[in-house]
Amino acid sequence: MASSIKEIPLVIIGTGPAGYTASIYASRYKLQHILIGNTIGGQVSKAHIIENYPGFIQIKGFELSTKFKEHAEHFLPMSNSEFIFDTVISVEHKDNQFITKTQQGSVIKSKALIFTVGVKKRELGLVSEKKFLGKGVSHCVTCDGFFYRDKIVGIVGGGDSAATGALYLADISPKVYMFVRRDKMRAEPIWQEQIFKNPKIEVLFNTEVAEIYGDQKVQGVITKDGRKIELEGLFIEIGHYPDTSILKFDVEKDEHGYIKVKPDMSTSVPGFFAAGDITTANNKFHQIVVATGEGAVAANSAYMYVVRGG
Ligand code: NAP
């Protein structure tokens, strides 16, 4: 494993909307930085269709994240900055420096750091969910939906991810069950309207999946109230949780583990800024447009911290 140690004013971790935007702004401030990420766009790249990002009436998640990436890469040379496609394994804070270590052996010391790692997908926590993962169970409609074309499928959740996922599945499958645990959905009303109009989608309110059954592959689910529903694919889209386990120093968080930020995206640790879904700034309104805005603010604050001394 190759190992290299670099010293640079700013490191940006995460290649979702917040990270890319922070990089674009940092480049234009001529603030030398390294942008590190292991995806092209984070959660956004997996969104089937996005209709609420200004400038694009409708765009696929992967297409929008590719545009973000191209935009950030266009400006990187302007600040002598670089993008590293790698996974960060730890971030330490010692002697007023951040030390970022990656899976492929990079060690990067920086004066400031912008943390934009987003959130991770929640799981149902069923043993059968793990057992059938890749054999009928999936956590990504955009990635795996096509494998279940012409099959009866189900999707768990009532938020925008489940709603847009159900609409995509209805385009390619004869029948889509939506398992919503309460008597209402969280999804934007515009998506709900489309779902209720779609004859292929059956929304089962007040319904929770208790078990997923099958032999080698999924054959159906059993609900908590004992109903048996036959299907061949089950998608789990039940929201997200914050994961800050790579941070090896204390930073203030709320009771759910989201990083507390001030309006300038600074945190309880000087030089450490956070942006996007991982922070408390967005009122848990995890939207691309919100994350990009936070990324811009974080870059501006990091610039003032590095160049102007805070
Ligand atoms: P979300 O809004 O948190 O919704 C999660 C859904 O899963 C809720 O209906 C929730 O039910 C349900 N749920 C949670 N735990 C469950 C469990 N154990 N069993 C069954 N159901 C469970 O998550 P999301 O849909 O992934 O959206 C996250 C954010 O991304 C949102 O801000 C959303 O607007 C955004 N987003 C936007 C788009 C788009 O515009 N194209 C697409 C995807 C996501 P309760 O309501 O009962 O808690």
Side-chain angles (χ1 to χ4, degrees), residues 19 31 62 66 79 82 101 153 199 202 211 233 245 261 273 290 301 305:
L31 177 56
F62 189 73
T66 304
S79 56
E82 61 178 304
K101 294 181 181 164
V153 293
E202 184 174 342
E211 210 47 78
S245 56
V261 286
F273 303 86
V290 176
S301 303
Y305 181 81

Side-chain angles (χ1 to χ4, degrees), residues 49-50 52 122 124 156-161 164 181-182 186 237-240 286-287:
I49 285 174
I50 292 154
N52 53 11
R122 245 190 241 137
L124 286 172
V156 186
D160 286 331
S161 300
T164 50
R181 69 176 173 183
R182 286 189 296 143
R186 275 175 201 251
E237 290 287 0
I238 58 169
H240 304 86
H286 292 163
Q287 300 293 302

Side-chain angles (χ1 to χ4, degrees), residues 210-266:
E211 210 47 78
I212 304 161
Y213 69 87
D215 186 10
Q216 298 299 311
K217 288 179 178 174
V218 168
Q219 290 172 326
V221 299
I222 298 167
T223 64
K224 276 198 179 158
D225 55 8
R227 279 172 287 163
K228 207 170 174 184
I229 296 169
E230 286 183 12
L231 46 79
E232 290 183 72
L234 185 71
F235 295 87
I236 322 283
E237 290 287 0
I238 58 169
H240 304 86
Y241 66 93
D243 179 4
T244 53
S245 56
I246 58 171
L247 298 179
K248 305 302 174 198
F249 57 92
D250 287 332
V251 59
E252 239 184 280
K253 300 181 200 98
D254 74 1
E255 68 274 25
H256 303 292
Y258 291 88
I259 297 174
K260 283 191 182 177
V261 286
K262 299 181 190 86
D264 64 354
M265 298 296 139
S266 63

